[in-house]
Amino acid sequence: MPFDSAQPVIELSRLTVRFGTRPILKGLDARLYGTSIGLLGPNGAGKSTLIHTLLGMCPVAEGTAKVMGHDIRKEQRRIRSFVGYMPEGDAYIADMSAVAMVRMMGELSGLPPEAALERAHEVLFYVGLGEARYRRLGTFSQGMRQLAKLAQAVVHGPRLLILDEPTNGLDPAARTRMIRLIQQIRSSGKVHILLCSHLLADVEQICQEVVILKDGWLIADVDLDAQRRCDRRFLDVEVWDGADQFAGAMAGLGCTCSSSGQGRISMILPEGLHLQQVYQTIVDLDVPIRRLSYRTDSLEQIFLRAMESADGGL
Amino acid sequence: MAVYKQQYRPYEGPRTSPIWRFLVPLRYSYAKILQSRLLVLLLALCMFYPCACATIIYLSHNSPALAALRLRSGILPQVDGRFFYFFCTVQGSLAFVLTALIGPGLVWPDLANGALALYLSRPFARLEYVASKMTILVLLLSTITWLPGLVLFAIQAGCVGWDWAVDNAWLAGAILVASIVWIVVLSLIGLALSAWVRWRTAAGVAVLAVYFVGAGLGRAINNIWQTRYGYLIDLGEVMNTVWAGLFRYYRGPGLSPVHAWLMLLLVCLVCIKALASKVRGLEVVR
């Protein structure tokens, strides 16, 4: 059944999950539409629990959630049929070869045996384990196991790929490769991605939309694409003297300036203004500069602001 | 896909029916089990006693063959409830040994490295997983218990005649029920211990311990307290009581069949509970 793009990929309605009496997810409400959605948050924020709940591994205490329009309380089996899941921790059968395990997982997702075998070879080549596909998984390195996990997650051609910390334990080269693979899968346009990570750089490289969790609360839902589109640039300057004169000149160049006293000026640079012009103004006015720092509105700043914000408003 | 075309391609082909999907892990497990020469040899040995029984049945109805072998007709056992009771006892013991060898390797490899999450994140329920693993043992143990048992019954019926088969139809039912009950109990014990003891050898030893330690402890209890209730923790005695009841064979004073059936039920429930607590997509720390 084709997925209606007007429908949210994931819809959370007062979703509450408890382990015993301890609440883990506290009434989450969100509608996520992005092709690639990032789940961010510090350790213990409830990221993995949210994923497990969407997959039906954690019982829902209150509220509900929908995955591509299917209710997790009523249509669990259906949801699992179009979801591919790459768990965070180890997940392999040590005495099976990579191709046998990936094939079996494909068959469990409903692929006929011959098609599953063909797909197993195909995805193992795709993730870069082609040469090692007949080796037992118990002999694989950490990086190879991560790739094997990715292979089993995509073998059945899922419509939603859930990746829980996919770059865990990978060296820089393997991490870059893993991110490139995920970006390629996303670019195919046939798969939505839900990426759970505490590595901001990974999420920034892959995701369009980011949800930030903290202590079981959803504290921010950010459209990274929109953020990137407005892509605000900031300049913080501290001068020894002539702050007002400098601020006036910068306002003339289209900057939005605010002065906080003691020669400190914060500016939002307009689109098209090059830093070269700022330096030229400084030279022209002969303003003695004490400090100058340039920054963009990065995910890191969004994340830190969300963490610091009491109510999570951005 | 050609190696040079390394790009992601979604699968858009046909899907199988979910009804028979529980047979998938079963197929892979059999492929692995039958790679073991020891197990194949043991399976072959398990057929020795049924073959001997078939020979006895054949000879007992073939006077010329008996004469050729210089055997008296009275020397061979009568094919009745007692005959099949002993058949079940022998084959049941072998089934137990097979379970101790195969059972520990069924659930443990999936739990050891978190592979269970891969099964249960697919359209494959916990119940299907357990059913799949249990079917492995059920099918294997069936080949050495009720299947040869019914073949022996058919041989006897073929030798004696249709009337015997009709008069002794209860024997066929008893073979079937006795074997299936034992298979279910063994399978559940094997799977539960495989799920709880995450070391294959230790799980195998634990299966054997359930039988032998229970038997020793049961007899000790009986001797110390001068009772027969110690037999309740002796799995072999419990099962023999059930079989004796089914085959209408009196073994002397011991457990009552009702107590034996209740004990088996309790063992099954404990094993199901143990499996349910382990066979999960993730371990929850409360």
Side-chain angles (χ1 to χ4, degrees):
Chain A
M1 190 175 68
F3 175 62
D4 178 7
S5 58
Q7 209 173 39
V9 179
I10 293 166
E11 190 178 353
L12 312 174
S13 317
R14 294 185 300 104
L15 183 70
T16 304
V17 172
R18 293 192 191 95
F19 289 167
T21 53
R22 190 159 60 96
I24 305 297
L25 299 179
K26 302 165 184 171
L28 304 187
D29 269 304
R31 290 163 75 85
L32 312 173
Y33 291 88
T35 309
S36 45
I37 301 159
L39 258 182
L40 272 178
N43 292 335
K47 306 185 295 289
S48 294
T49 304
L50 176 56
I51 285 178
H52 292 146
T53 308
L54 295 177
L55 288 167
M57 293 179 189
C58 288
V60 176
E62 283 167 39
T64 191
K66 284 183 179 174
V67 180
M68 293 185 154
H70 299 280
D71 195 311
I72 61 165
R73 296 188 113 165
K74 296 172 190 156
E75 298 170 276
Q76 201 50 250
R77 206 180 171 96
R78 177 135 188 78
I79 290 170
R80 287 178 185 172
S81 68
F82 61 73
V83 168
Y85 173 51
M86 178 180 173
E88 179 185 3
D90 272 343
Y92 63 93
I93 303 167
D95 56 0
M96 263 183 135
S97 68
V99 73
M101 192 193 79
V102 174
R103 182 191 183 189
M104 183 172 79
M105 292 303 157
E107 285 186 56
L108 285 176
S109 291
L111 272 63
E114 300 78 20
L117 180 62
E118 194 186 327
R119 280 287 294 182
H121 284 284
E122 185 177 325
V123 294
L124 284 167
F125 268 111
Y126 175 68
V127 300
L129 291 176
E131 298 301 318
R133 65 195 192 280
Y134 291 111
R135 258 174 63 185
R136 290 192 314 122
L137 286 154
T139 66
F140 274 22
S141 67
Q142 175 71 18
M144 291 166 88
R145 281 179 200 156
Q146 288 290 90
L147 292 170
K149 278 198 293 184
L150 179 64
Q152 65 77 32
V154 296
V155 65
H156 55 294
R159 284 195 282 145
L160 174 64
L161 183 58
I162 299 180
L163 307 167
D164 197 351
E165 307 280 3
T167 54
N168 248 7
L170 298 184
D171 62 43
R175 182 174 157 267
T176 308
R177 178 165 172 71
M178 176 66 81
I179 288 172
R180 207 179 67 231
L181 282 170
I182 298 168
Q183 284 172 333
Q184 280 173 7
I185 293 170
R186 184 197 62 188
S187 308
S188 74
K190 305 274 178 149
V191 189
H192 287 77
I193 289 174
L194 177 63
L195 172 75
C196 169
S197 179
H198 59 263
L199 298 174
L200 303 180
D202 290 2
V203 174
E204 200 162 22
Q205 286 181 70
I206 295 166
C207 299
Q208 287 179 326
E209 188 174 354
V210 172
V211 174
I212 303 176
L213 296 179
K214 186 184 180 186
D215 293 333
W217 299 101
L218 197 152
I219 58 168
D221 178 359
V222 185
D223 185 341
L224 276 184
D225 270 1
Q227 287 282 339
R228 280 178 195 131
R229 273 196 298 275
C230 65
D231 196 22
R232 291 188 300 178
R233 298 177 301 154
F234 299 86
L235 195 66
D236 297 318
V237 183
E238 284 181 32
V239 297
W240 291 108
D241 194 19
D244 292 341
Q245 189 190 6
F246 178 62
M250 292 311 293
L253 289 172
C255 297
T256 309
C257 303
S258 70
S259 177
S260 54
Q262 296 179 326
R264 291 191 187 123
I265 308 155
S266 293
M267 292 176 275
I268 302 172
L269 304 183
E271 211 173 320
L273 181 74
H274 296 288
L275 279 176
Q276 196 95 37
Q277 291 169 268
V278 177
Y279 298 141
Q280 191 57 55
T281 309
I282 291 167
V283 171
D284 292 346
L285 297 175
D286 196 20
V287 180
I289 298 292
R290 196 163 65 211
R291 191 177 72 86
L292 188 146
S293 70
Y294 171 77
R295 61 187 165 86
T296 54
D297 210 2
S298 68
L299 180 59
E300 187 179 349
Q301 278 150 348
I302 294 168
F303 180 73
L304 291 174
R305 274 210 306 274
M307 287 290 123
E308 284 164 8
S309 166
D311 58 0
L314 283 172
Chain B
M1 182 178 72
V3 178
Y4 63 88
K5 284 184 187 169
Q6 286 195 9
Q7 57 184 23
Y8 180 73
R9 187 175 65 88
Y11 175 77
E12 279 153 359
R15 304 263 170 175
T16 55
S17 160
I19 301 167
W20 300 107
R21 222 167 273 169
F22 79 100
L23 295 174
V24 172
L26 183 139
R27 216 179 67 233
Y28 284 87
S29 293
Y30 271 128
K32 197 181 126 201
I33 287 168
L34 297 176
Q35 277 176 352
S36 163
R37 286 179 192 167
L38 176 71
L39 277 170
V40 174
L41 185 70
L42 190 62
L43 270 173
L45 284 176
C46 289
M47 292 301 163
F48 178 78
Y49 187 71
C51 289
C53 288
T55 311
I56 289 169
I57 294 171
Y58 175 74
L59 286 176
S60 63
H61 297 97
N62 195 325
S63 304
L66 271 179
L69 291 168
R70 294 179 187 173
L71 291 171
R72 286 183 290 111
S73 61
I75 202 169
L76 296 173
Q78 217 180 345
V79 182
D80 54 8
R82 187 169 175 271
F83 178 88
F84 283 109
Y85 166 78
F86 281 109
F87 171 81
C88 277
T89 308
V90 173
Q91 293 305 101
S93 304
L94 291 169
F96 179 79
V97 174
L98 267 182
T99 306
L101 282 171
I102 298 166
L106 292 179
V107 180
W108 163 80
D110 297 334
L111 284 171
N113 295 301
L116 211 51
L118 304 183
Y119 287 92
L120 301 181
S121 62
R122 301 189 133 72
F124 193 66
R126 290 162 70 197
L127 190 65
E128 284 170 291
Y129 176 82
V130 173
S132 170
K133 297 291 177 178
M134 201 164 156
T135 310
I136 295 165
L137 280 172
V138 169
L139 289 182
L140 206 65
L141 301 186
S142 292
T143 58
I144 63 161
T145 52
W146 64 267
L147 272 172
L150 290 182
V151 169
L152 291 181
F153 181 86
I155 293 171
Q156 170 71 3
C159 291
V160 180
W162 178 246
D163 289 343
W164 182 91
V166 173
D167 291 344
N168 294 280
W170 64 272
L171 266 177
I175 293 167
L176 203 63
V177 173
S179 302
I180 287 174
V181 167
W182 185 228
I183 288 170
V184 168
V185 171
L186 283 182
S187 305
L188 286 173
I189 290 174
L191 293 185
L193 287 172
S194 175
W196 275 87
V197 185
R198 292 192 186 187
W199 188 37
R200 193 181 174 140
T201 315
V205 170
V207 175
L208 293 171
V210 165
Y211 192 89
F212 292 110
V213 173
L217 210 60
R219 275 163 213 277
I221 289 169
N222 285 348
N223 288 333
I224 293 166
W225 281 291
Q226 295 299 307
T227 177
R228 287 201 294 266
Y229 287 108
Y231 285 134
L232 282 173
I233 56 168
D234 180 349
L235 193 61
E237 186 63 28
V238 168
M239 204 57 231
N240 276 323
T241 306
V242 168
W243 284 337
L246 286 168
F247 289 108
R248 302 175 191 175
Y249 169 64
Y250 181 69
R251 297 171 62 237
L255 272 179
S256 82
V258 176
H259 284 151
W261 277 104
L262 286 175
M263 193 60 203
L264 286 182
L265 187 66
L266 183 68
V267 169
C268 290
L269 289 176
V270 169
C271 290
I272 289 168
K273 175 77 183 153
L275 271 172
S277 66
K278 278 287 171 185
V279 178
R280 291 169 179 273
L282 71 157
E283 287 197 40
V284 176
V285 181
R286 291 177 192 278

